Amino acid sequence: MNDPVISNAIQFARESFQNDCSGHDFSHTYRVFRLAETLAIQENADLRTVQLAALLHDVDDFKLFGGTFGQYARAERFLKEKGLDDKEIKRICTIISEISFKGTETKTPTTIEGKVVQDADRLDAIGAIGIGRAFAFGGSRNRSMYDPENPPKSGMNADEYAKNQGSTINHFYEKLLLLRNLMNTPSARRLAEERHAFMEEFLKEFFEEWEGKR
Ligand code: ADP
Ligand code: NI
C-alpha cells in the first residue's frame, strides 16, 4: 500500500471496529474496501475516492458510535487531519450519506464513486457472509431467529425501518432479497446473482428443517 492516507485509513477503521460483534467488525469494512476497489476499476470510477469512502463508510454509524445522525464528524476529522481539501472531504462524506438502506427512503448515489461503494456494501450484506452478518446482528439485538406469528413488513419508511424489531428471517424479506435488483452497476449485478441464489437455497432449507421435513 503506497498511499499513506489509505494505509492510515485502514488503521483508523481497524481501531474503530475492533470490539464489534454485530456484523460491523473491521473485516466487513475491509471486504467492502476490496470489493469496491474491484468494482471501481471495472466501472472507471476514481479509485482513491472510492477507497477512502469505503474505509470510512461506517465510522460514523449512529448505531455504533452515537454522534449526531446524518453527520460525519469522525470521517471529516480524519480526512482534515490527513490534509484533504474541503471539496474532497465533501465528496467523500456525500458518498457516505447516500449509502445506507433506509426502506422506501433509500437513496441512489449521485456519483459513480458512490454507486460503487453502495454496491460493495450491499454485496457484503448478501450471500453466505450476508447470512452470517444478519444472524450476528439479530443476536446482538436479542432478536428471534424466526417468528411465524410476525410476518415481514413492506413499504417501511426510514423511521419505521430503523425502529423495526422483527426477526432475522424477516430481515431477508425486508432488505436482503431486495438488494439484487437494487445494484447500481453491471459488475455488481453479476456478483449479486450467485449470492442471491445462495440465500434462496438457505431459506428453502431453513423452512424445511423448521417444519421438520428434513
Ligand atoms: P451496512 O453496514 O451494510 O450499512 P447495517 O448497518 O444496516 O448495514 O447492518 C449491518 C448488518 O446487519 C447487515 O448485514 C444487515 O443486513 C444486518 N442487519 C441490519 N438490520 C438487521 C435486522 N433487523 N435483522 C438482522 N440483520 C440486520
Ligand atoms: Ni457497511
Side-chain angles (χ1 to χ4, degrees):
M1 200 67 63
N2 303 325
D3 185 338
V5 179
I6 302 293
S7 30
N8 282 323
I10 292 175
Q11 195 49 34
F12 179 54
R14 196 190 297 278
E15 287 159 13
S16 298
F17 301 114
Q18 62 189 353
N19 296 320
D20 184 82
C21 295
S22 70
H24 276 110
D25 50 49
F26 171 68
S27 65
H28 161 64
T29 287
Y30 200 67
R31 284 189 304 272
V32 172
F33 167 66
R34 299 288 302 276
L35 268 169
E37 283 183 327
T38 306
L39 297 177
I41 292 162
Q42 288 169 355
E43 301 291 332
N44 286 318
D46 179 64
L47 186 59
R48 193 164 186 263
T49 303
V50 165
Q51 288 172 317
L52 288 173
L55 289 168
L56 299 174
H57 85 275
D58 273 336
V59 302
D60 285 287
D61 191 316
F62 187 67
K63 299 192 288 304
L64 307 173
F65 300 103
T68 307
F69 186 74
Q71 289 184 17
Y72 305 98
R74 298 185 77 239
E76 254 178 61
R77 198 176 327 119
F78 172 86
L79 294 168
K80 230 182 178 63
E81 264 170 35
K82 300 300 163 214
L84 273 78
D85 67 37
D86 287 350
K87 217 171 126 208
E88 289 173 298
I89 296 176
K90 184 150 189 281
R91 196 160 58 211
I92 291 166
C93 289
T94 300
I95 294 176
I96 298 173
S97 75
E98 292 171 335
I99 198 172
S100 318
F101 186 83
K102 299 192 181 99
T104 55
E105 291 171 70
T106 303
K107 292 185 183 141
T108 300
T110 40
T111 58
I112 185 63
E113 287 75 23
K115 290 185 165 96
V116 158
V117 179
Q118 187 184 65
D119 279 355
D121 193 37
R122 287 174 168 180
L123 283 168
D124 204 60
I126 63 176
I129 294 276
I131 294 170
R133 291 182 70 213
F135 285 100
F137 182 96
S140 78
R141 303 291 146 106
N142 286 323
R143 307 272 167 82
S144 58
M145 223 170 34
Y146 177 43
D147 175 7
E149 302 286 308
N150 289 302
K153 302 182 183 120
S154 61
M156 284 185 280
N157 64 27
D159 193 46
E160 290 163 337
Y161 179 78
K163 290 187 179 140
N164 185 29
Q165 300 275 323
S167 71
T168 298
I169 288 291
N170 281 1
H171 186 66
F172 284 78
Y173 297 93
E174 292 163 347
K175 173 181 172 187
L176 306 186
L177 293 169
L178 310 179
L179 294 179
R180 173 183 58 170
N181 291 335
L182 293 175
M183 292 293 160
N184 301 298
T185 64
S187 313
R189 220 165 291 137
R190 276 193 296 276
L191 292 171
E193 284 301 331
E194 272 185 44
R195 294 182 186 220
H196 183 92
F198 187 79
M199 290 193 297
E200 291 201 315
E201 189 65 26
F202 166 79
L203 289 167
K204 183 167 167 280
E205 179 82 18
F206 185 98
F207 293 124
E208 283 181 9
E209 290 181 15
W210 186 275
E211 301 290 338
K213 288 187 185 154
R214 275 177 185 265

